[in-house]
Amino acid sequence: IIDLSKTVKELKKALKFLQDTAAQGNEILFVGTTKQAQESVGEAAVRCGSPYVKERWLGGMLTNYDTIQKSIGRLKEIERMKSEKILDVLSKKERARLEKTRLRLEKSLCGVKDMDGLPAVLFIIDPMVEMTAVMEAKKMYIPIVAVCDTNSNPDLIDYPIPGNDDAVRSIKLFCGYVADAILEGKAMAEKAGADKTKDSEGPVSTGAPITEETFMNAPSVGESKVEKSAEVPASKEELPA
């Protein structure tokens, strides 16, 4: 059973951390490769201008980033050749080979090809499925924010958010809040740059207040893999930011 009051509390804590990270100009990498997470992860990441991995996590994406950069360079080179019509002068067999390579690289690297170096934070949907990403991040001392269901080990996560990581509605809700927090952080950074002063820390603005009622309206958030119903606390008062 997932206690929604804890979900609200931990979500606010995680969002404040992500907002501060974005305000410092750092990148947050979205990771969600399960079928139910792919669409929400991709849409939220694109909306807030963050890198993402929604297909297979490539081993060494963090611990062997130099090799990944070479693959990204190869992808960009083929894309340049295609845009400049250089492929048109090659043989049909060579064009087919390069196009096959481009599609393979594009599928795996499209979300990270514009990422400048290692990310500052990982936001993960279902850390049990993304255990390779979790272990690489721990090895590289990269903080992790993750939606953790009842089968997850929160000790591996720096900012665990109790919630259902299988339901599409739940995943979309969490990704939406994270994207809003990142956009708010970027807006704070732009304002600070324009004013040439450092703004004091403010509350996380996610468009709508985060309360237990928010998750009551999306019951799949509190459903765990073990039990599909949860006792929701009676209080609906908004927690402090």
Side-chain angles (χ1 to χ4, degrees):
I1 298 175
I2 295 175
D3 186 343
L4 295 184
S5 64
K6 291 184 178 179
T7 297
V8 173
K9 180 181 178 181
E10 297 304 320
L11 177 60
K12 278 184 168 286
K13 187 188 302 183
L15 291 180
K16 187 65 177 71
F17 171 68
L18 292 172
Q19 184 190 72
D20 292 342
T21 300
Q24 295 169 7
N26 296 320
E27 288 188 317
I28 293 92
L29 175 62
F30 285 62
V31 182
T33 64
T34 60
K35 184 177 180 181
Q36 56 269 33
Q38 288 178 333
E39 183 177 350
S40 296
V41 164
E43 289 179 354
V46 170
R47 181 163 69 87
C48 65
S50 295
Y52 63 90
V53 175
K54 67 175 186 176
E55 298 293 338
R56 183 174 66 90
W57 176 271
L58 298 178
M61 188 168 285
L62 300 179
T63 55
N64 194 17
Y65 187 67
D66 289 342
T67 300
I68 298 299
Q69 278 189 312
K70 290 179 182 179
S71 297
I72 293 174
R74 179 60 172 161
L75 171 61
K76 290 183 176 181
E77 180 186 2
I78 297 175
E79 289 179 338
R80 179 186 62 80
M81 293 172 66
K82 184 176 182 179
S83 64
E84 295 178 0
K85 308 296 183 180
I86 296 177
L87 295 182
D88 294 345
V89 302
L90 301 178
S91 66
K92 183 177 180 180
K93 183 177 180 179
E94 183 66 11
R95 284 201 308 271
R97 186 185 68 82
L98 290 175
E99 180 64 13
K100 184 178 180 180
T101 299
R102 186 189 69 81
L103 292 175
R104 175 176 57 81
L105 293 174
E106 176 72 19
K107 183 177 181 180
S108 301
L109 302 172
C110 64
V112 298
K113 65 181 180 181
D114 295 322
M115 185 170 67
D116 297 325
L118 291 173
V121 180
L122 260 60
F123 169 63
I124 299 177
I125 299 293
D126 200 340
M128 289 299 292
V129 171
E130 314 298 346
M131 188 53 66
T132 302
V134 170
M135 299 312 295
E136 287 193 26
K138 300 301 287 185
K139 186 174 182 179
M140 300 301 293
Y141 301 102
I142 297 175
I144 302 171
V145 175
V147 178
C148 298
D149 210 327
T150 52
N151 66 331
S152 300
N153 180 7
D155 293 338
L156 296 174
I157 310 302
D158 299 278
Y159 293 86
I161 305 171
N164 190 334
D165 56 22
D166 279 335
V168 174
R169 285 194 303 169
S170 171
I171 295 170
K172 186 174 183 179
L173 185 64
F174 284 122
C175 288
Y177 276 125
V178 168
D180 288 340
I182 293 173
L183 287 171
E184 181 69 15
K186 290 182 176 180
M188 290 170 59
E190 290 178 1
K191 182 178 180 181
D195 297 341
K196 296 183 180 180
T197 58
K198 293 184 178 179
D199 294 336
S200 59
E201 294 183 355
V204 176
S205 173
T206 56
I210 304 173
T211 65
E212 291 175 30
E213 187 176 13
T214 303
F215 298 107
M216 291 173 65
N217 294 331
S220 58
V221 173
E223 294 175 353
S224 69
K225 291 183 174 69
V226 178
E227 294 191 34
K228 291 300 179 181
S229 64
E231 292 295 331
V232 180
S235 173
K236 298 180 182 179
E237 296 179 359
E238 181 181 356
L239 295 177

